[in-house]
């Protein structure tokens, strides 16, 4: 699947109520423009995405078995690898998109942003995909597959 909006299937009559609940992460992939699929965290990922009836969301995800990693480079400050994502805030649903309005985030540059995601749903599985993002490796879309937690 290519990293374009065309790859996102249209979903009709989706409302915020369709998102409410707890979702468990089952896949985290990068979809490259040339059609290749990369799994930057491997095949084993963990995470939860919660959508409340009050209109708020919270997402936390990482590779399974994550260990805190800090990269040190000579003469430079330490930097952390992006192996954990956490953010929360209100959400809105419109057509085939859900927008997360970030009020709290592990990444300061996400604060105050609107994180748009294209969504598709098949049974208890939901796929969220970012719009195409320019990166050092060309154009990529991040795709996350979630499964509804039914207990």
């Amino acid at each position: 699947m290519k990293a374009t909006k065309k790859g996102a299937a249209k979903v009709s009559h989706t409302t915020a109520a369709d998102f409410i609940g707890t979702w468990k992460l089952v896949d985290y992939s990068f979809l490259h423009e040339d059609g290749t699929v990369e799994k930057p965290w491997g095949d084993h990922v963990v995470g939860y995405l919660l959508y409340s009836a009050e209109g708020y969301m919270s997402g936390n995800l990482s590779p399974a078995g994550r260990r805190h990693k800090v990269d040190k480079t000579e003469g430079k400050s330490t930097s952390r690898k992006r192996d954990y994502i956490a953010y929360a805030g209100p959400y809105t649903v419109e057509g085939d998109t859900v927008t997360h309005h970030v009020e709290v985030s592990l990444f300061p540059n996400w604060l105050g942003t609107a994180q748009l995601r294209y969504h598709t749903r098949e049974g208890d599985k939901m796929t969220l995909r970012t719009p195409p993002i320019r990166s050092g490796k060309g154009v990529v879309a991040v795709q996350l597959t979630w499964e509804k937690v039914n207990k």
Side-chain angles (χ1 to χ4, degrees), residues 3-4 41 43 52 55 57 71 78 97 102 104 115 120 141 143 150:
T4 65
W41 291 348
D43 289 323
S52 76
M57 60 74 56
D71 291 337
T78 60
T97 64
V102 182
V104 179
Q115 296 291 318
T120 58
Q143 179 172 283
N150 295 311

Side-chain angles (χ1 to χ4, degrees), residues 3 37-38 47 54 59 66 68 80 144:
V37 176
E38 176 186 358
E54 295 79 20
R66 172 185 177 264
H68 180 72
R80 294 175 194 245
L144 300 100

Side-chain angles (χ1 to χ4, degrees), residues 2 37 59 65-66 73 78 81 89 105 108-109 118 127 139 145 150:
K2 295 194 182 233
V37 176
R66 172 185 177 264
T73 56
T78 60
K81 294 186 91 171
S105 177
N109 60 321
Y118 297 102
T127 301
V139 176
T145 303
N150 295 311

Side-chain angles (χ1 to χ4, degrees), residues 74-114:
E74 192 174 316
K76 293 187 179 180
S77 62
T78 60
S79 65
R80 294 175 194 245
K81 294 186 91 171
R82 185 176 270 193
D83 65 351
Y84 193 90
I85 297 172
Y87 68 99
Y91 71 97
T92 53
V93 176
E94 187 175 321
D96 67 344
T97 64
V98 57
T99 303
H100 301 153
H101 304 276
V102 182
E103 292 183 349
V104 179
S105 177
L106 180 64
F107 309 121
N109 60 321
W110 280 27
L111 293 172
T113 66

